[in-house]
Amino acid sequence: MSSPGRRRALLAVGAVVALAALSVGARYAADHEPRADAGLFSQVLLSADGRTLTTPVTWTPCQEAEPRLFARETPQTVAADLKTGRTVDQTHECPSASRLVSLTLRAPLGTRQLSEANTGKPFVPFPAARLADVGYLPRGFTAISDVPQVFGSVAGPWTPHPYNRSDTVPSWTRYYATAGTPALSITQVLAAASTPDPAPGTDAGPPMSVNGHRASLVCDTDSERALTWSDGVSTFTVVSIDPHHAALSPSELLRVANGLRNP
């Protein structure tokens, strides 16, 4: 028969093991909770066949799971939203990440109404079939699926806003980069608009035109340049950012712009 001291020791060990098991179980449960609807506020692209939705997301990789796109489909509607992981590890810090995520619908969207699952608010995605063809890119630039971090460090009417969506006027931003940090974006909005005047304090240079349409350097600095214009069908903004060296020259931006063609 065990002595009282031995019995107390065994009970103490058992309590520690039980508490550890509860702790592990609680952490496991927290890490595996169902994802919560996060809200879909970003630009949304609809593929040419009408079946794939794509949107940019941002999150902190070392602290939470990557958000994913989901949709609830009926014969009349498609309700889409993001689900975000509940797993949070506050013991680590790392830069946020931004990239494109996609979802393939069971059937083409067609005439079905697309809305936010969270709010029920309808919105119009950008149809990929309406994206302008890119005829020229500077040497070394290629299309990328990640959203370059440099676009999150600047703000202004000339910068693309993939995380701010108009529900009635679809827009889409494409990103390009070299092996280094220089980044390039092309934003297309399916609406004609007047070409804005240059921002105060910027050196816009001489008048410019893109394929016969008035264009404006709405921002012109060593590290950031933005060219915008409207062709009567779409409004475009081409942005070049390189915080460490020099943005693309106005002439290079103009070559990119003149190479764009509506399908």
Side-chain angles (χ1 to χ4, degrees), residues 8-174:
R8 284 194 297 271
L10 289 173
L11 288 173
V13 171
V16 170
V17 171
L19 285 172
L22 286 172
S23 176
V24 171
R27 175 160 185 170
Y28 181 88
D31 288 353
H32 289 76
E33 286 182 4
R35 294 175 170 224
D37 292 7
L40 181 60
F41 310 109
S42 310
Q43 296 179 347
V44 176
L45 180 72
L46 179 66
S47 62
D49 64 4
R51 292 199 60 196
T52 301
L53 299 174
T54 300
T55 191
V57 298
T58 185
W59 81 107
T60 308
C62 66
Q63 294 183 350
E64 57 190 339
E66 180 178 349
R68 69 175 179 85
L69 188 61
F70 77 96
R72 303 186 185 106
E73 298 184 55
T74 73
Q76 292 78 35
T77 64
V78 173
D81 253 321
L82 291 172
K83 283 189 180 292
T84 182
R86 293 182 182 272
T87 302
V88 176
D89 181 359
Q90 299 291 353
T91 64
H92 294 83
E93 292 185 5
C94 59
S96 61
S98 301
R99 70 180 52 156
L100 303 179
V101 295
S102 297
L103 166 76
T104 300
L105 302 173
R106 293 195 300 268
L109 179 63
T111 59
R112 293 185 292 175
Q113 184 183 72
L114 181 61
S115 65
E116 293 178 356
N118 244 356
T119 64
K121 182 169 57 176
F123 66 92
V124 181
F126 193 105
R130 298 288 302 277
L131 280 173
D133 296 324
V134 180
Y136 169 79
L137 287 172
R139 183 177 179 181
F141 279 81
T142 57
I144 57 175
S145 58
D146 293 348
V147 180
Q149 290 297 307
V150 290
F151 283 100
S153 63
V154 295
W158 53 85
T159 57
H161 296 289
Y163 301 104
N164 296 325
R165 186 193 70 236
S166 167
D167 294 330
T168 57
V169 182
S171 62
W172 187 248
T173 302
R174 289 174 281 180

Side-chain angles (χ1 to χ4, degrees), residues 201-203 219-226 240 246-248:
T202 61
D203 180 11
C219 175
D220 186 7
T221 68
D222 288 342
S223 60
E224 181 182 358
R225 287 191 175 90
S240 170
L248 293 174

